[in-house]
Amino acid sequence: MRVLQIPFSTNVERVALAAAHKGLRIDWVDVDPADRSGVVELSGQPLVPVLDAGDGDVVVDSMAIVARFEELAPEPALWPADPARRAEVDVFVDWFDLVWKGPPNRLADGRSEDPGADAAALRGWLGRFEELLAGRDHLMGDALGAADVCAFPFLRYGVKPPPPDDTDPFHHVLAEHLPIAGRLPRLEAWVHRMDLLPRA
């Protein structure tokens, strides 16, 4: 299997975490962020990551790729076996991608109609993550799961700033508007634990 990637991508890191958790071997293909013609040719759209699993099996969207890994290598699982618990995780993933990511994307792109409100939303939601970690090591339970893989590459910037060669404005918006370090101890400890995990 090969995955098209660009440097520092939060969505690519989701895939790298999930693949390592499942022991899957990935052939990474670096893409020039300024020339995504190869990505478009393979997948019909310009965003990474893109999974090429062979025989025309092409998957776009990072969490859809993580879900495909779950099908290919069910153990160790990232989703609960119980249908109701699995649905709870899916609701979290959908909320994170469709709602939570909206404010930082708008702030980074300069499209925010109310930057103060978007920044306040990011700060306000942090308490939810802190509460999810009360009495357990991971966002949706005691074991590493899809919710952790989904959220960590983004929330990490509230604890660890972008490296000097990372110029992506999205990551700098996250670092500016996610005041986790020194304020939310359970969430900060979770970031440090997650950061120790291997990546494929």
Side-chain angles (χ1 to χ4, degrees):
M1 293 186 293
R2 65 186 186 121
V3 175
L4 280 60
Q5 67 166 350
I6 61 172
F8 304 115
S9 168
T10 45
N11 290 318
V12 168
E13 187 170 15
R14 288 171 162 180
V15 172
L17 284 164
H21 179 67
K22 292 182 171 294
L24 296 173
R25 182 179 176 277
I26 301 295
D27 293 324
W28 297 100
V29 179
D30 291 331
V31 173
D32 180 352
D35 178 12
R36 302 190 184 209
S37 56
V39 179
V40 173
E41 182 179 348
L42 176 64
S43 66
Q45 55 83 57
L47 302 177
V48 296
V50 174
L51 169 66
D52 180 1
D55 297 324
D57 183 10
V58 175
V59 183
V60 300
D61 182 85
S62 57
M63 290 308 294
I65 294 171
V66 173
R68 179 59 57 87
F69 290 167
E70 187 85 345
E71 296 172 359
L72 296 171
E75 296 297 333
L78 286 170
W79 272 268
D82 177 74
R85 293 285 295 120
R86 184 182 182 96
E88 290 171 355
V89 173
D90 286 337
V91 167
F92 175 93
V93 170
D94 288 345
W95 171 79
F96 195 91
D97 279 352
L98 299 175
V99 178
W100 187 92
K101 287 170 68 175
N105 275 314
R106 289 191 294 270
L107 289 167
D109 294 344
R111 296 181 293 108
S112 178
E113 295 180 2
D114 190 342
D118 280 335
L122 284 174
R123 292 191 303 272
W125 285 327
L126 288 176
R128 305 272 177 90
F129 297 108
E130 180 78 356
E131 290 165 5
L132 282 171
L133 291 163
R136 60 190 187 187
D137 288 337
H138 297 280
L139 292 174
M140 300 295 284
D142 293 325
L144 177 71
D148 304 288
V149 168
C150 173
F152 165 73
F154 301 82
L155 297 180
R156 68 180 299 178
Y157 288 104
V159 177
K160 297 172 174 280
D165 51 343
D166 180 0
T167 60
D168 189 328
F170 180 69
H171 301 156
H172 290 269
V173 163
L174 294 177
E176 180 181 355
H177 296 293
L178 296 177
I180 296 171
R183 300 185 185 193
L184 298 166
R186 291 192 292 265
L187 187 53
E188 183 174 3
W190 171 82
V191 167
H192 287 298
R193 287 195 305 274
M194 288 291 297
D195 202 36
L196 293 174
L197 295 176
R199 278 73 157 172

